[in-house]
Amino acid sequence: MAPRKIKLLEAADARIHEVFHPYVVADVNESQVKIAKFGPEFDWHSHPAEDEAFLVLRGRIAIDFRDGPVELGEGEFLLVTKGIEHRPRALTREPVALMFEPATTLNTGDAASNFTI
């Protein structure tokens, strides 16, 4: 059986109706590739045992850190290493980002909130 091709932005627009509600695009070994639309502000959190990576596909986002934000535009990538407290947020209307993380990663990491999935 041939691999399935995915048009990521079309998938995001068709399947994602809430910001910060990631959709699993693929399982890769023990990791997952997720796509999400970002909103104005997420919770401060960290992932004590997992790295998390972001690749912006559409729009602009910021990943806030306690010592300042890192802004990302289309095609830009950022790795947040385990244990680093951060908070993603949109800089444009519903930007879309691809995320790479272990399948066991909770989206809000060590913080529980209304965003926890």
Side-chain angles (χ1 to χ4, degrees):
M1 180 168 159
R4 176 176 60 110
K5 179 172 84 172
I6 300 168
K7 295 183 177 183
L8 293 171
L9 292 174
E10 287 179 20
D13 291 337
R15 295 190 170 111
I16 300 173
H17 306 290
E18 297 177 51
V19 295
F20 297 121
H21 195 281
Y23 168 75
V24 176
V25 174
D27 291 296
V28 182
N29 300 316
E30 286 80 41
S31 294
Q32 290 182 321
V33 178
K34 300 175 183 176
I35 194 167
K37 292 181 179 177
F38 285 30
E41 192 171 283
F42 198 62
D43 299 317
W44 281 103
H45 67 284
S46 67
H47 304 278
E50 303 108 353
D51 295 335
E52 183 176 33
F54 299 87
L55 173 64
V56 178
L57 300 178
R58 180 171 63 206
R60 295 187 55 75
I61 68 170
I63 306 294
D64 293 329
F65 297 96
R66 292 298 183 180
D67 59 352
V70 174
E71 294 186 6
L72 301 170
E74 293 176 8
E76 294 185 313
F77 176 86
L78 180 71
L79 174 66
V80 179
T81 55
K82 62 185 164 193
I84 303 296
E85 193 174 26
H86 62 286
R87 175 181 66 181
R89 61 185 167 90
L91 295 175
T92 58
R93 187 176 180 280
E94 291 188 356
V96 176
L98 202 60
M99 298 176 297
F100 308 88
E101 56 197 14
T104 57
T105 302
L106 190 60
N107 68 327
T108 55
D110 60 358
S113 77
N114 293 333
F115 289 121
T116 302
I117 299 172

